[in-house]
Amino acid sequence: MNQKINNLTLKMLAKQLGLSVSTISKAIRDSHEISDTTKKRVNELVQKLNYIPNPYASSLGSRNSKTIGVVIPEVVDSFFAKAINGIESIAQENGYHVLIYLTHESIEKEKQILKDFESGRVDGVLLSVSRETCSHSHINILMNKGVPLVFFDRVVDEVKASKVVTNDYESAYKATELLIKNGCKQILFLSFLNTLAISNKRLNGYKNALLDNRLAFIEKNILTFQNDSKKDYLLLKKKLNLTKRADGVIASVEKLALPVYQACEELRLNIPGDVQVIGFSNLDTAAFLNPPLTTITQPAFEIGKTAAALLVKALGRKKIELANEEIIIPSTLVLRRSTSL
Amino acid sequence: MNQKINNLTLKMLAKQLGLSVSTISKAIRDSHEISDTTKKRVNELVQKLNYIPNPYASSLGSRNSKTIGVVIPEVVDSFFAKAINGIESIAQENGYHVLIYLTHESIEKEKQILKDFESGRVDGVLLSVSRETCSHSHINILMNKGVPLVFFDRVVDEVKASKVVTNDYESAYKATELLIKNGCKQILFLSFLNTLAISNKRLNGYKNALLDNRLAFIEKNILTFQNDSKKDYLLLKKKLNLTKRADGVIASVEKLALPVYQACEELRLNIPGDVQVIGFSNLDTAAFLNPPLTTITQPAFEIGKTAAALLVKALGRKKIELANEEIIIPSTLVLRRSTSL
DNA sequence: TTTATTTACGAAACCGTTTTCGTAAATACA
DNA sequence: TGTATTTACGAAAACGGTTTCGTAAATAAA
């Protein structure tokens, strides 16, 4: 099909050096079975002829691919983009290739992708589940096939696996507390519909901070957005337009901070004068918004890097085993003007 | 090495059905050589046993990988993130996998990556070169090996290949013209050092707009940033602090818009009162900056999608050939308050 | 009815490595 | 000096598919 040029093979090298294919193969991979002088001869020819092994033949023979699969909901998202950077830094360092798959928050796609992984395409998987992910049999099935998997950020508590997350509960608690300290009485909590498994942790942090400060927890102050629906935005606007309107908003997801700004603008509400806003966000532009947005900033790069390191380390072992641990890397509260008094 | 479970192979399926391996293989790929009844029998067993072919064996045999390699400078960048979405949409649709590599603007990494591609790891390549990329032999070498390649956005003019770009020249011209119309006399042009090849197009658009409007083109008004160096920022600040200071700024790269905002803030300059700003950017937050940023917005998704479509279409042909064409998808000027009068 | 063609399949080679195993020569041990 | 180990390599069998080619039976053409 392809008009690939004359690809150099081990056999050709072997012929040129009067050695066997297996000797060449071993020499290239620095096997102890091969003498140093032979290794040198081989490597010189490899250099000279610019030989590059066929990765598919290697993978087939060795039953591993030096590839890790990264499954994330979305890439147009500062958190995930930065996490990819972290993952990629470890991958490069250890000679792994990175296959990226986007679920676009669809559990169906997620299932499809994980199923494909049963083929042995990747040596291990880094997974951040979609919002829709409520069941987790597809994940267990993959793991039971012996494919190592590490969760990052959006984990499924019910699945036993290595996980790298941030301190969602504490962060939300702290954010809520801040708003309370700043005098807010009616605090809206904005999130996306997350069917089950994925963290209600932020919500709980919010809830408990309210209770601990003798404020009522009001069900209606939780706004659960569907996918970019206009309806939710209108509901938000309505909440901000009541006589007894909200005076504080926590956007528990990066994408939900901007609608708040927009709503306030349209309603001519002053931030932070009328409404104080705080967002879970990795946006580099947070400091330049109008007004600058106070954020809970997750250690995206670190989370990606740590998850990848965990996986790569496990892959390097004879007997692959991932501890059932949860590594927590704390987020940072960055105070800016959207929450000053 | 891996404790992979009992992977199902064609041979096992063949035995169960009393057919030959080749028949099964053909049936699965819907070959015309196989009768419908046999295909049905095979597919039923495939379903039942949940058989998934080993991609590495397939690739080795068929000499193609159903994988495309995407090489970009950075993923924490709205443009590239959105371009990936476009690429991925086409890939998914056509059953291709997407291998993503980041150069981090380093030509050395870029060379490394392209060299690895000589191995046949990917069927085709989507490339947006690094800022450092001044020579292009590494690209030509790869293409000469018969690996189809499509440039997107950051192309190398000297290399003959398919390219998908936006109208950089016109966009910059238009942006400059806008500032001029708005009364700016001293317009700064901010860019990163791009050694050669990559578009001086934006710069030329800027230059010609000045000349066409009888404004002097002043070499010193071009600020060429190195990598995130503090020095450049200080130079920018200085330029905005002269007695005859700049009254307009064009950030020809997304990342350079924020430093302008920061500098203005520190200098207590009003945007757009004292300085008008326009940025090449895909930032979703542009509309919520203080003040909202007028942007030249590139059709990132479309560019990625088009480039991928071009590549995939070529890969589908018996004889792979990519026209030496350049597809131009125009950017949009979005007027916001950073340039109002 | 005879011959040509098509249909539906199987045998075997092949893709380019890795891995297992066998072995002659070199070295160590006793 | 004879035996046990190492050392350094090669032959051949995987790995799990795809592809080529050959062929018997079924169908079409003459």
Side-chain angles (χ1 to χ4, degrees), chain A residues 20 22-23 26 33 35 38 60 63:
Chain A
S20 77
S22 55
T23 300
K26 289 169 188 166
E33 286 185 42
S35 72
T38 306
L60 184 57
R63 263 169 298 296

Side-chain angles (χ1 to χ4, degrees), chain A residues 89-301:
Chain A
S89 73
I90 294 291
Q92 284 247 4
E93 212 170 272
N94 296 74
Y96 280 86
H97 298 257
V98 178
L99 223 25
I100 292 184
Y101 295 85
L102 310 176
T103 63
H104 296 293
E105 306 284 9
S106 148
I107 188 174
E108 276 317 315
K109 274 216 180 132
E110 187 174 297
K111 283 181 179 172
Q112 243 175 259
I113 295 163
L114 293 203
K115 181 162 178 198
D116 175 78
F117 286 171
E118 290 179 27
S119 70
R121 184 183 298 280
V122 297
D123 292 346
V125 176
L126 259 24
L127 171 61
S128 209
V129 300
S130 83
R131 279 205 294 268
E132 290 180 8
T133 301
C134 46
S135 70
H136 48 268
S137 55
H138 58 302
I139 304 175
N140 281 324
I141 288 174
L142 183 63
M143 294 179 68
N144 287 338
K145 290 259 176 185
V147 179
L149 182 148
V150 175
F151 283 105
F152 68 103
D153 193 53
R154 299 222 210 145
V155 308
V156 176
D157 285 333
E158 289 83 352
V159 176
K160 289 192 178 172
S162 283
K163 295 163 190 169
V164 181
V165 296
T166 185
N167 55 346
D168 288 303
Y169 175 87
E170 290 80 4
S171 298
Y173 190 99
K174 213 193 289 183
T176 311
E177 203 170 44
L178 172 68
L179 292 185
I180 296 171
K181 291 249 162 66
N182 281 2
C184 295
K185 302 292 181 198
Q186 283 276 337
I187 303 175
L188 256 35
F189 184 88
L190 274 41
S191 72
F192 274 114
L193 184 70
N194 49 3
T195 332
L196 242 180
I198 325 173
S199 67
N200 293 306
K201 288 168 198 155
R202 292 181 188 175
L203 182 57
N204 283 333
Y206 159 79
K207 199 183 290 187
N208 284 343
L210 287 181
L211 299 178
D212 289 353
N213 287 276
R214 294 157 197 273
L215 282 178
F217 165 67
I218 301 166
E219 199 70 57
K220 284 196 165 174
N221 278 344
I222 300 173
L223 295 194
T224 305
F225 281 63
Q226 316 284 354
N227 257 342
D228 299 311
S229 94
K230 201 72 197 165
K231 216 180 70 189
D232 296 315
Y233 175 70
L234 292 178
L235 182 57
L236 165 63
K237 230 173 127 177
K238 191 172 139 199
K239 287 279 181 189
L240 290 169
N241 208 14
L242 297 173
T243 38
K244 192 171 173 248
R245 67 161 164 70
D247 53 4
V249 181
I250 296 177
S252 79
V253 180
E254 181 168 296
K255 279 210 174 109
L256 294 178
L258 294 188
V260 180
Y261 272 58
Q262 176 148 17
C264 287
E265 190 176 306
E266 289 176 14
L267 295 170
R268 312 222 166 260
L269 291 172
N270 178 269
I271 305 175
D274 301 318
V275 183
Q276 299 193 39
V277 183
I278 182 166
F280 280 72
S281 167
N282 264 278
L283 283 174
D284 290 330
T285 50
F288 298 97
L289 295 178
N290 181 18
L293 175 66
T294 291
T295 56
I296 299 285
T297 299
Q298 303 104 296
F301 183 91

Side-chain angles (χ1 to χ4, degrees), chain B residues 9-25 38 41-42 45 49:
Chain B
T9 67
L10 279 190
K11 201 190 291 184
M12 299 171 175
L13 295 186
K15 192 170 292 173
Q16 289 212 29
L17 289 178
L19 291 169
S20 78
V21 169
S22 55
T23 299
I24 308 279
S25 172
T38 306
R41 280 215 307 148
V42 171
L45 191 63
L49 266 45

Side-chain angles (χ1 to χ4, degrees), chain B residues 59-102:
Chain B
S59 295
L60 185 57
S62 64
R63 261 169 301 294
N64 67 243
S65 61
K66 275 290 187 179
T67 301
I68 63 186
V70 176
V71 183
I72 56 177
E74 180 55 84
V75 67
V76 184
D77 176 303
S78 339
F79 175 82
F80 287 115
K82 287 174 180 173
I84 289 177
N85 268 346
I87 291 168
E88 205 254 0
S89 73
I90 294 291
Q92 283 245 8
E93 212 169 273
N94 296 75
Y96 279 86
H97 298 256
V98 179
L99 224 22
I100 291 185
Y101 295 86
L102 309 176

